Amino acid sequence: MGLLEWLGGSQQQATDEQDIDTVRRIARELDTLPPDRARFVACFAYILGRVANADFDVSDEELEAMERLVSERTDLPAVQATLVVQIAKQRNQLFGGTDNFLVTRTFEQIADLEQKRSMLDCLYAVSAADHTISAQEDQEIRRIASELNLDHAEFIRARLKYTEHLSVLQD
């Protein structure tokens, strides 16, 4: 199963022929990833989308942060990272309630402790991209930390770097 299939994406989402050709080319490139790496990338992008969508509003700044982080943390070229993020975002908006735990559990099983800690930092970075971390986003990150089997101290350690952006602490 290719990365696009795992994320639930479809090459038919593009509207004009040039976009369709671009999506097909990128999909072929993503399908060449080793299955373990593709699974990691898909989970990583999906979980970022999960927290960005926690308040039912994925801002442009959050989307840009997701694309940058997926590219940086998974070594995907920017074009591929953008495609993965778009598909993950759409999948999360459509099926978030049913897929959230399953995808996070998969990530918990395939990621090591440092990757899980890094994920928490990335979740806060995405949430803070628009300079405000909503209460819903903060609560979702706490749920994700728990699903990743990270203790409360790990959660607090990641959260401390972003306290200035927490909406509950802003005027």
Side-chain angles (χ1 to χ4, degrees):
M1 173 186 288
L3 179 60
L4 287 176
E5 293 173 71
W6 193 86
L7 283 170
S10 168
Q11 294 176 348
Q12 300 305 310
Q13 293 168 338
T15 55
D16 65 7
E17 196 59 40
Q18 184 178 6
D19 286 346
I20 291 172
D21 289 342
T22 301
V23 170
R24 285 184 180 143
R25 181 181 54 77
I26 295 169
R28 282 192 300 273
E29 292 175 28
L30 292 176
D31 283 341
T32 64
L33 292 175
D36 289 345
R37 183 160 181 250
R39 191 173 298 109
F40 181 89
V41 169
C43 289
F44 186 85
Y46 181 91
I47 296 168
L48 292 179
R50 176 180 168 181
V51 78
N53 194 46
D55 58 1
F56 304 107
D57 178 38
V58 180
S59 70
D60 290 340
E61 296 88 354
E62 289 172 327
L63 199 56
E64 288 171 15
M66 289 170 58
E67 292 169 359
R68 179 181 47 77
L69 289 166
V70 168
S71 181
E72 288 174 4
R73 304 290 173 106
T74 67
D75 295 324
L76 280 182
V79 173
Q80 290 178 338
T82 298
L83 178 66
V84 170
V85 165
Q86 288 298 327
I87 293 169
K89 180 185 119 185
Q90 288 176 348
R91 178 79 181 185
N92 187 281
Q93 288 173 334
L94 292 172
F95 305 106
T98 56
D99 287 350
N100 285 350
F101 177 75
L102 297 173
V103 173
T104 307
R105 182 179 65 186
T106 298
F107 188 82
E108 192 279 326
Q109 293 169 349
I110 64 176
D112 62 30
L113 182 58
E114 277 310 307
Q115 290 168 325
K116 293 174 191 178
R117 288 175 179 157
S118 176
M119 172 57 79
L120 276 187
D121 183 64
C122 290
L123 293 173
Y124 273 111
V126 166
S127 297
D130 58 2
H131 307 292
T132 301
I133 299 171
S134 70
Q136 296 93 338
E137 290 168 330
D138 192 39
Q139 291 169 357
E140 191 67 18
I141 294 170
R142 179 65 190 116
R143 271 192 289 281
I144 292 167
S146 178
E147 291 169 13
L148 293 176
N149 290 319
L150 294 171
D151 62 26
H152 190 66
E154 295 282 356
F155 167 72
I156 294 300
R157 194 172 301 122
R159 188 178 193 237
L160 279 173
K161 294 192 284 187
Y162 297 93
T163 54
E164 69 191 53
H165 299 292
L166 292 169
S167 64
V168 296
L169 299 179
Q170 294 177 346
D171 293 331

